Amino acid sequence: MLKYRVLVAGLILGLFGGVGLRADIVIFDNLGTTSQGFGSVSISAWEAQRFNTDASNLTLTSATLRLYTESAGSGIFFVDLYSDTAGKPGVSLANLFTGPNPFVGPFPQTGNILFGGLNQSLAPNTNYWVVLGESAGSVLDIRWGSTGSAAGTGSGFQTTHASTPNQGAGWDVTVGSPHQMQITAAAIPEPANVLLAFVGGGCLLVASRRNGIRAI
């Protein structure tokens, strides 16, 4: 029957057109390494970790940081995505999270804190920084884990991290002892794949409406 031929064609086009539409991949991960210490942040002293993208067009979907605290404190902290300027954090591109201490007593506590549901575009072959700090008026004890290991996975893994004592006015960059985090991203589909997906869907719609057509 013609409708079955059209149905099969639609399924094939939809399948191949849908490949890569949205599959999260890990582009940076060293959460499995042993922590050697925790860098403390405040309203003026911030910490940053660099990662990079490959040749793909990506969307940042989540960031997970290994954090530590000894008390609840008060106020809010933030996780921002920064550009890279001459090998240092440049300007803030997006706020990934703003909120209170994620830990609930008893203290102290250590954990991998997920900041998910993100939808931030990332350019191909580009360096970025994840920056952790506290907002004005906050009195929090938030610290970011670092490791002496250079081991990590993902195409964007780097060991370069940075710190600032003055809210980003000046950064000290260090290669080695990276902060512990995981970054996931989704590939943005090529226009040709999107077109195939639409064509496949159209074929399925046609097939569903041609129930009485004979085979040819």
Side-chain angles (χ1 to χ4, degrees), residues 81-85 88-93 127-129:
L81 179 71
Y82 269 60
S83 65
D84 180 271
T85 301
K88 299 181 179 182
V91 298
S92 178
L93 301 174
N127 284 319
Y128 291 96
W129 294 83

Side-chain angles (χ1 to χ4, degrees), residues 37-48 66-71 77 132-134 139-146 161-165 171 179:
F38 293 85
S40 183
V41 299
S42 66
I43 60 175
S44 57
W46 303 344
E47 295 286 327
R66 186 162 181 79
L67 300 180
Y68 170 87
T69 186
E70 291 188 347
S71 62
F77 73 100
L132 174 70
E134 293 183 15
V139 183
L140 291 171
D141 178 34
I142 296 293
R143 311 181 196 183
W144 192 356
S146 62
H161 71 279
S163 60
T164 176
W171 290 91
H179 284 301

Side-chain angles (χ1 to χ4, degrees), residues 29-36 66 146-152 178-180:
D29 185 12
N30 66 344
L31 290 177
T33 57
T34 301
S35 300
Q36 70 168 7
R66 186 162 181 79
S146 62
T147 176
S149 173
H179 284 301
Q180 294 171 288

Side-chain angles (χ1 to χ4, degrees), residues 155-215:
S155 60
F157 176 74
Q158 297 189 29
T159 62
T160 303
H161 71 279
S163 60
T164 176
N166 47 25
Q167 298 182 329
W171 290 91
D172 298 318
V173 177
T174 302
V175 178
S177 300
H179 284 301
Q180 294 171 288
M181 71 175 185
Q182 181 187 85
I183 298 294
T184 67
I188 300 175
E190 296 295 330
N193 284 343
V194 176
L195 178 60
L196 281 173
F198 277 110
V199 172
C203 290
L204 292 175
L205 180 60
V206 170
S208 68
R209 292 182 177 180
R210 291 191 173 185
N211 293 324
I213 297 179
R214 293 182 179 180

Side-chain angles (χ1 to χ4, degrees), residues 27 84 87 92 94 101 109 112 126 133 135 182:
I27 61 175
D84 180 271
S92 178
N101 192 328
Q109 284 198 33
N112 298 328
T126 303
S135 300
Q182 181 187 85

